[in-house]
Amino acid sequence: MKKSRALAAAGACLLLAACGTTHENAGAGGGPGATAKCGADGKYTIGMSQANVAEPYRQRMNDDIRSAVAAVPQFTVDFADAAQDNSKQVEQVDTFLTQQIDLLIISPNEATPLTAPVKRAFDKGIPVLVLDRKVDGDAYTSFIGADNTAIGRQAGEYFKNVLLPHGGKIAELRGLAGSTPARERHDGFVQGIEGSKIEIVAAQDADWLRDKGQQQADAILQAHPDIQAIYSQNDPMGEGARIAAQNAGRADLPITGIDGLPIESGGLKAVESGRLSATFLYPTGGREAVDAAKRILLDCGQVPKTQTLPTRLVTKENAAATYAELNTGS
C-alpha cells in the first residue's frame, strides 16, 4: 500500500511537470485519509510535541531539531512542552491539528494516553514521526529511537560481567512508569543479569528527573544500606543518586546511567569525572526526524516504519574520546 502511494505521488509530480510545486498527493507518510502536501518548493509547518523540557535529554532533542531545521528554509517548527502532563499534551496535539500542521513530531509523555491523538493526526493524513517513546499500535508514520530493551540488556551485562561478577544486591531507579523506555529498559536489564547472582532488592520510579532520583535513592539507601550498586534508567536520576550516596557516606557506590548527552552537564562528562561508572548512548533522534521530514515533505517519499538508532557503552576509558567525537563539527 505504501509503495503504491509513493509511486502515485511520484506520478503526480510527473503529470504536473513540477514535483517542486506544493500539491495534494496520495499521502506522503500519512494514514488512510492521507492528504498531505509535499514538494520542494512548498512551505511547511511542523508541530513538535515534547513530553517535557525539564529533562536535559529532551531539551537537547529540541535543540537538535531546531538546529537541523535551520538548514531547511522550507520548514518552520512550532514547539509545545507538555510538562509531563498527558492531558496537556493531548490538547497540544489537537491544537496542532486545528492549525493544520503539515507534519507532527511527537515524543509522548506516556504511551496509552497519547495513542488516540497520534492516531487522529495519522488518520487525517498528517505524517507522524514518533521519537524515543512509543505509542500503542501502529497508527503513525515512523518510530525513531534506539532499542531500549537492548540498552537495558547491555547495562545488565555490564553489571554481571564488570561491576558485580560474583553477584550482589542492587537497586533500580526507573523512569516514568507509563513510558515505554522505562518498561523496556527494565525488561532488558533483567535479561542482562540473567544467570547471575545479582538481586534487585529495591526499585523506585523517579520519572526521569534528577531531584526525584535523589529523593528515591535517599529512601533506598536508608532501607537497604547494604546495596552494592544502583542501575539508573537515565543519567540525571543517576546524578541524583550520586548525591544521595555521598550524603549516605557511600561516595564510591557504583552507579550507571543511560543517555550519554555530549554536553558539559551530560552523562559523558559524568562518566569522565567518575560520578557515573558507565552510561549508554541514546541518540535524541532530532536530526534523524528532520531528515525523515525532508524525505516525506520535500521529496514526496516514504520512510521506514522503524528507524533504530545506534548506541554504545561508555566508560571512563572512552568517555573523553566519545565526547570529542560527538561534538566534532557541532
Side-chain angles (χ1 to χ4, degrees):
M1 178 63 76
K2 289 180 178 178
K3 185 176 181 180
S4 64
R5 286 175 181 163
L7 292 172
C13 289
L14 290 173
L15 289 172
L16 290 170
C19 192
T21 301
T22 299
H23 61 277
E24 298 291 312
N25 71 5
T35 57
K37 61 185 182 183
C38 66
D41 289 345
K43 295 291 184 182
Y44 306 97
T45 300
I46 296 171
M48 171 56 198
S49 175
Q50 183 59 271
N52 72 81
V53 293
E55 299 171 50
Y57 175 85
R58 309 209 155 271
Q59 185 60 61
R60 176 65 183 232
M61 181 188 291
N62 282 3
D63 291 344
D64 287 346
I65 291 172
R66 191 175 289 108
S67 175
V69 162
V72 187
Q74 296 96 328
F75 286 174
T76 299
V77 181
D78 292 337
F79 291 88
D81 171 18
Q84 288 195 319
D85 184 327
N86 292 323
S87 298
K88 186 175 183 178
Q89 192 167 26
V90 170
E91 292 178 5
Q92 290 172 340
V93 172
D94 285 335
T95 298
F96 277 148
L97 301 188
T98 301
Q99 295 170 343
Q100 299 184 319
I101 59 170
D102 299 299
L103 182 142
L104 173 66
I105 303 175
I106 182 169
S107 194
N109 187 51
E110 293 184 273
T112 300
L114 272 300
T115 295
V118 164
K119 188 176 187 302
R120 281 197 289 276
F122 187 68
D123 288 347
K124 286 172 66 71
I126 297 172
V128 181
L129 305 177
V130 180
L131 277 187
D132 167 47
R133 299 179 182 178
K134 299 173 183 174
V135 292
D136 300 329
D138 61 356
Y140 55 85
T141 304
S142 181
F143 169 76
I144 302 173
D147 185 333
N148 281 298
T149 302
I151 289 177
R153 186 164 51 247
Q154 291 173 46
E157 290 169 348
Y158 183 73
F159 272 69
K160 181 170 66 177
N161 298 324
V162 179
L163 290 183
L164 297 171
H166 303 297
K169 297 179 181 179
I170 70 167
E172 179 181 17
L173 289 175
R174 299 173 178 170
L176 189 66
S179 60
T180 52
R183 182 169 61 249
E184 293 169 351
R185 290 177 186 184
H186 167 75
D187 292 345
F189 186 81
V190 171
Q191 294 171 17
I193 63 173
E194 195 172 83
S196 74
K197 294 182 179 179
I198 294 173
E199 180 184 4
I200 303 175
V201 297
Q204 293 293 336
D205 298 336
D207 299 348
W208 307 113
L209 300 176
R210 175 182 174 135
D211 290 348
K212 196 162 185 180
Q214 180 181 348
Q215 294 170 9
Q216 298 289 30
D218 278 334
I220 288 171
L221 287 164
Q222 288 179 20
H224 303 278
D226 58 340
I227 61 169
Q228 294 166 265
I230 294 178
Y231 163 53
S232 171
Q233 290 188 350
N234 78 350
D235 294 336
M237 295 189 298
E239 291 266 39
R242 172 59 61 204
I243 297 172
Q246 290 170 336
N247 293 340
R250 300 287 310 277
D252 60 344
L253 186 71
I255 299 170
T256 66
I258 293 173
D259 283 347
L261 286 183
I263 60 177
E264 283 296 323
S265 60
L268 295 183
K269 286 295 185 184
V271 172
E272 184 180 353
S273 67
R275 298 195 302 277
L276 295 179
S277 299
T279 188
F280 297 82
L281 291 187
Y282 190 94
T284 68
R287 293 178 183 277
E288 289 79 3
V290 175
D291 286 342
K294 288 164 62 179
R295 291 200 294 275
I296 294 168
L297 295 178
L298 303 188
D299 301 337
C300 301
Q302 300 287 329
V303 294
K305 188 71 176 180
T306 300
Q307 300 182 58
T308 303
L309 304 178
T311 185
R312 76 178 85 158
L313 167 67
V314 178
T315 63
K316 196 174 182 64
E317 286 69 31
N318 66 347
T322 303
Y323 184 91
E325 173 195 330
L326 295 180
N327 282 293
T328 299
S330 65

